[in-house]
Amino acid sequence: MTRSCTLWSDRLANALPRILINTPIMTSLYGFVKRLYLVFYPPAPEAPTESPLRFGVLGAARIAPIALIYPVKNHSDAVVKAIAARDQGRADAFAKKHGIPKAYGGPGAYQKLLDDPEIDVVYNPLPNGLHYEWTMKALAAGKHVLLEKPSADTAEETRKMFAFAQEKRLVLLEAFHYRFHPATRRLKEIVDSGEIGILTKIETSLAVPSGLIDDGNIRMVYDLGGGVMMDNGCYTLSMSRYLSGADPTKVISAKADILPKFPLVDIGGTATLAFPTPGGSTGPAEGLTATLDVHYRLPPRFGFLPQWPKVFARVTGTRGSVELNNFVGPWIYHQITIESSEEEGGPLQKRTEQRYGNLGWTTYRYQLEAFVDKLRGRDPEHWFDAQDSITNMEWIETIYKETGLGSRPPSTAKVPQATGT
Ligand SMILES: NC(=O)C1=CN([C@@H]2O[C@H](COP(=O)(O)OP(=O)(O)OC[C@H]3O[C@@H](n4cnc5c(N)ncnc54)[C@H](OP(=O)(O)O)[C@@H]3O)[C@@H](O)[C@H]2O)C=CC1
Ligand SMILES: O=C1OC[C@@H](O)[C@H](O)[C@H]1O
């Protein structure tokens, strides 16, 4: 009796880890931990090329490690060769931490990196208000550019950057990383399949709780292109345009929340835009609208409970709806929820899907794959063109105009230009 009890308890003890790991919650927890581990500790590429593309980074920006440095670590055809920061100590510390061979520091550091013949590609994660100046200078130096979003302070600057890149035959990409991820692609596939019918409403939200963006953040500085509609808004607008497959026709309403101490910087806002009705005059009478909802400082509930970030893209059609939550960070966690019916007004069937793609690949890793493919003359699995970035910036400016805040200030830097611009 005692013996068989021991046997069963032994068996249970042996099986327990497997039982636990196979419960849905444990499988997803295990998947989550494994995914994140591989993001920060990516395996080295199996067959690195002999002459990989050499990236240089302008500014020891917080976003640089996740957006470029980790993804590069397991790309077979890319390396980060140099960092430039306005302070030598900061450049050295960043280079040491990330194993980057060259560190340019001091007031002329950015230009020194651009003049380095061992750099092929520049990653520009400077504050928005400096995107134009340093992208133009990088292009003038003959470098391809991976440029952080939003592309610049104005559509005019965006137009000039892409015109210059085209003239110089260089690749310039606005880093809308979310577009490259399988979860976003799946969302678009469902929308385009007709499963939810003719589109009537798009809702996108990127709102984070207070405590994350402090007063000293670049996002709160008007002269640096600050403001939440520039930053979070550019994603929500880009996603709305992507999902509708069209561009807005007008801003129906736009509202910005500001703090008296930052009179020109929006910390929250909503905008509703009209889009062409899918199906034209035969489409639904209500037409198609998109609402963008953004915030840097969602107030705590009951005055003390931090709000959960509100990050989603939801599309409603005549036969149902589809929603992707966490669309800017689907590699951390996401869910696609579809509710659809066979016919208009019919009973809704609900299901969920997830699309993580390659294990440990972030939105940024997918973006890097496409960017390198483009640079190497291959057809990337996904891409978007200059006009997409220009149009996005045009409508960001239009929204700002509607709120009364106006565009962010254009750059006053004297920079080389494409001939005829
Ligand atoms: N793709 C994405 O997921 C994300 C994109 N972003 C974008 O990346 C850019 C940088 O954002 P983030 O990393 O949060 O910003 P940080 O403030 O961390 O970095 C900005 C960098 O700009 C440099 N810089 C140059 N001039 C100035 C100046 N006058 N004031 C302040 N900094 C200056 C600094 O570099 P130095 O080291 O030389 O001092 C600093 O490291 C923004 O355009 C933002 O929209 C941001 C977060 C996420
Ligand atoms: O690019 C970004 O992604 C998430 C946002 O909340 C952030 O402010 C932004 O810079």
Side-chain angles (χ1 to χ4, degrees):
M1 181 69 185
T2 324
R3 190 158 172 270
S4 92
C5 270
T6 319
L7 220 60
W8 276 106
S9 62
D10 281 356
R11 278 190 195 153
L12 187 63
N14 286 337
L16 208 54
R18 260 179 295 129
I19 293 169
L20 285 177
I21 245 164
N22 284 324
T23 61
I25 203 156
M26 288 310 283
T27 331
S28 68
L29 188 65
Y30 175 68
F32 173 77
V33 171
K34 192 166 172 187
R35 265 198 317 278
L36 287 201
Y37 179 84
L38 289 171
V39 167
F40 296 102
Y41 301 96
E46 277 172 19
T49 59
E50 268 182 26
S51 309
L53 290 163
R54 298 160 300 181
F55 281 74
V57 180
L58 292 178
R62 266 172 285 206
I63 188 60
I66 191 77
L68 185 77
I69 292 164
Y70 301 139
V72 159
K73 282 189 195 300
N74 84 335
H75 197 294
S76 60
D77 198 17
V79 288
V80 177
K81 193 87 181 169
I83 168 79
R86 294 169 299 170
D87 173 81
Q88 185 67 56
R90 191 169 152 79
D92 290 340
F94 193 90
K96 188 168 173 219
K97 181 168 179 189
H98 297 289
I100 301 171
K102 293 188 192 184
Y104 294 107
Y110 295 171
Q111 190 58 51
K112 281 188 198 143
L113 183 144
L114 299 186
D115 294 337
D116 184 340
E118 291 193 331
I119 298 298
D120 309 303
V121 191
V122 166
Y123 172 54
N124 182 351
L126 295 173
N128 305 338
L130 297 175
H131 284 183
Y132 171 72
E133 173 182 353
W134 288 99
T135 296
M136 292 304 264
K137 287 178 175 171
L139 294 169
K143 316 295 184 192
H144 304 283
V145 182
L146 177 61
L147 168 63
E148 267 310 335
K149 41 53 59 182
S151 48
D153 274 8
T154 68
E156 185 54 20
E157 291 179 342
T158 309
R159 211 170 281 120
K160 286 182 176 172
M161 288 188 295
F162 280 100
F164 200 25
Q166 189 179 16
E167 183 173 293
K168 304 277 286 181
R169 294 175 179 277
L170 293 164
V171 177
L172 169 61
L173 177 69
E174 181 181 16
F176 271 128
H177 55 106
Y178 82 92
R179 283 262 184 112
F180 299 89
H181 195 271
T184 305
R185 313 290 306 290
R186 178 66 185 140
L187 173 67
K188 173 76 171 149
E189 189 177 69
I190 294 168
V191 167
D192 289 351
S193 73
E195 180 178 349
I196 61 163
I198 301 177
L199 310 194
T200 55
K201 193 166 62 171
I202 300 175
E203 296 153 280
T204 50
S205 175
L206 180 43
V208 295
S210 57
L212 296 177
I213 308 292
D214 60 29
D215 286 0
N217 196 293
I218 55 166
R219 290 159 181 77
M220 300 302 291
V221 184
Y222 173 72
D223 287 340
L224 293 177
V228 71
M229 193 51 80
M230 282 287 280
D231 182 21
N232 296 10
C234 74
Y235 281 109
T236 55
L237 175 62
S238 167
M239 179 60 117
S240 304
R241 293 179 42 252
Y242 178 56
L243 293 175
S244 67
D247 294 327
T249 52
K250 70 170 181 179
V251 177
I252 297 171
S253 64
K255 180 175 114 356
D257 298 343
I258 53 159
L259 298 172
K261 59 182 168 181
F262 300 108
L264 292 171
V265 176
D266 46 321
I267 56 150
T270 55
T272 301
L273 311 176
F275 277 73
T277 307
S281 55
T282 59
E286 65 264 44
L288 171 62
T289 57
T291 299
L292 324 177
D293 176 22
V294 289
H295 218 289
Y296 276 155
R297 296 183 179 183
L298 289 174
R301 285 188 205 282
F302 315 114
F304 70 97
L305 261 185
Q307 286 202 47
W308 195 252
K310 278 203 292 174
V311 188
F312 64 83
R314 183 186 303 132
V315 188
T316 305
T318 49
R319 286 202 288 117
S321 67
V322 55
E323 174 178 324
L324 167 63
N325 62 7
N326 199 18
F327 73 92
V328 288
W331 50 276
I332 304 168
Y333 179 77
H334 72 266
Q335 188 143 290
I336 303 169
T337 308
I338 307 113
E339 287 195 286
S340 64
S341 66
E342 295 286 319
E343 55 191 16
E344 253 175 65
L348 291 173
Q349 301 282 340
K350 183 173 173 175
R351 69 175 196 281
T352 59
E353 295 184 10
Q354 291 177 316
R355 288 286 192 283
Y356 285 105
N358 298 339
L359 199 60
W361 278 38
T362 56
T363 45
Y364 310 103
R365 180 61 183 82
Y366 277 101
Q367 171 180 265
L368 180 70
E369 189 74 9
F371 187 62
V372 170
D373 280 349
K374 192 76 172 177
L375 286 174
R376 291 302 196 196
R378 295 185 290 267
D379 244 355
E381 216 170 279
H382 178 71
W383 195 252
F384 56 94
D385 62 14
Q387 192 53 50
D388 201 327
S389 295
I390 296 166
T391 306
N392 216 58
M393 212 53 237
E394 278 168 359
W395 284 96
I396 290 289
E397 283 196 271
T398 311
I399 294 170
Y400 269 111
K401 197 168 157 203
E402 284 293 317
T403 63
L405 291 178
S407 301
R408 311 296 85 183
S411 170
T412 52
K414 294 267 167 291
V415 290
Q417 308 261 329
T419 45
T421 51

